Amino acid sequence: MCHKILRTVIPPVFWLGVWQLAAWCVGRDLLLPGPAAVAARLLALAGTADFWLSVGATLWRVFLGLAWGTAAGTALAFLTHFSPWADRIVSPAVRVVRATPVVSFILLVYLWVARAAIPWVIAGLMVLPVVWGALSAGLGSLNGKLLEFARAYRFSRLKTLRLIYLPALRPHMEAGLLTAFGLAWKSGAAAEVLCPPARAIGSRIQQAKLGLETADLFAWTLTIVALSLALEGLLRRALERGRGA
């Protein structure tokens, strides 16, 4: 038990020490504030309504992007698997989306949609190719003998989906979701910084940068990191529980 606690505590303490040492060497909070200054600023921000409204707005946009990107990626994976023509038409476009830098999409989408919608549109665009790729790989590795078995015993499409496709695709979908979740956070936050909506964590990061409020910049960045890690942990635990069930 003690060994486990030490393994958990020592790494963050070590890196906090490195951060504090670097702050002492720099000697200017404007360039690099120490952990204590950032923590104090984060606590001050967390005591305001604007902080929680910004966090809630960002969470909503990230989850909205994750939802539509996952749904679209799943639908396209099945479409391209069962239709050769759809595969020839859709697959190159999805690969182009996957290869295009997120900044390029942010600037392009900025011309077409409202500023408040840009983060969730971008998050979904980054999620879609990941989910499509994971499920396409899973569909391509399905055991043909199981499908022949289902046809021989005249399984309905719903029964085939439930008993053969879903168990085989589950590990691919889990891996894809975990990767997609991190991308949704990064791309959504980047879109909020470059095209700041009225209320968002990215908007506050942009304001802190313009106002040279370095402690605020660190505090908002730590907020994004903490939320991302915490929610990814919850997602991982939910997937593990579902797998056990």
Side-chain angles (χ1 to χ4, degrees):
M1 183 67 179
C2 182
H3 181 64
K4 186 176 181 181
I5 294 174
L6 287 175
R7 284 172 55 188
T8 305
V9 171
I10 288 177
V13 169
F14 171 79
W15 288 111
L16 284 172
V18 171
W19 179 4
Q20 182 61 66
L21 183 61
W24 282 334
C25 291
V26 172
R28 296 182 63 185
D29 282 352
L30 179 63
L31 297 179
L32 182 61
V38 173
R41 192 61 194 135
L42 181 57
L43 288 174
L45 290 171
T48 65
D50 182 70
F51 176 88
W52 297 107
L53 289 172
S54 298
V55 167
T58 294
L59 283 172
W60 167 248
R61 294 187 185 100
V62 169
F63 281 116
L64 188 59
L66 184 66
W68 89 256
T70 300
T74 301
L76 288 177
F78 277 91
L79 180 64
T80 55
H81 178 73
F82 289 107
S83 171
W85 275 107
D87 185 41
R88 293 188 187 97
I89 294 170
V90 174
S91 294
V94 177
R95 292 190 179 97
V96 167
V97 171
R98 183 165 53 190
T100 303
V102 63
V103 174
S104 299
F105 273 122
I106 293 172
L107 298 177
L108 287 171
V109 172
Y110 184 72
L111 302 174
W112 303 328
V113 302
R115 182 180 293 183
I118 293 173
W120 64 261
V121 171
I122 293 299
L125 279 173
M126 296 301 104
V127 166
L128 188 156
V130 174
V131 174
W132 171 82
L135 288 182
S136 294
L139 287 166
S141 63
L142 274 174
N143 190 331
K145 292 182 178 180
L146 289 177
L147 296 175
E148 290 178 8
F149 175 86
R151 285 192 291 268
Y153 281 86
R154 297 182 180 179
F155 281 10
S156 66
R157 291 183 178 180
L158 182 60
K159 192 174 182 179
T160 303
L161 177 67
R162 182 170 59 88
L163 296 180
I164 296 178
Y165 280 95
L166 292 184
L169 294 177
R170 187 184 190 97
H172 297 274
M173 189 62 178
E174 289 178 356
L177 274 177
L178 289 171
T179 304
F181 184 77
L183 279 176
W185 266 104
K186 292 177 182 178
S187 58
E192 287 182 347
V193 171
L194 292 178
C195 307
R199 183 169 280 118
I201 294 178
S203 303
R204 301 299 171 258
I205 290 176
Q206 178 75 316
Q207 291 173 4
K209 185 202 77 170
L210 294 175
L212 296 178
E213 297 167 343
T214 313
D216 283 30
L217 180 61
F218 272 75
W220 284 111
T221 302
L222 285 176
T223 300
I224 287 183
V225 173
L227 284 172
S228 178
L229 291 176
L231 292 172
E232 184 178 338
L234 290 175
L235 176 61
R236 193 182 298 275
R237 184 172 299 178
L239 292 173
E240 289 174 354
R241 286 182 178 177
R243 191 186 309 134

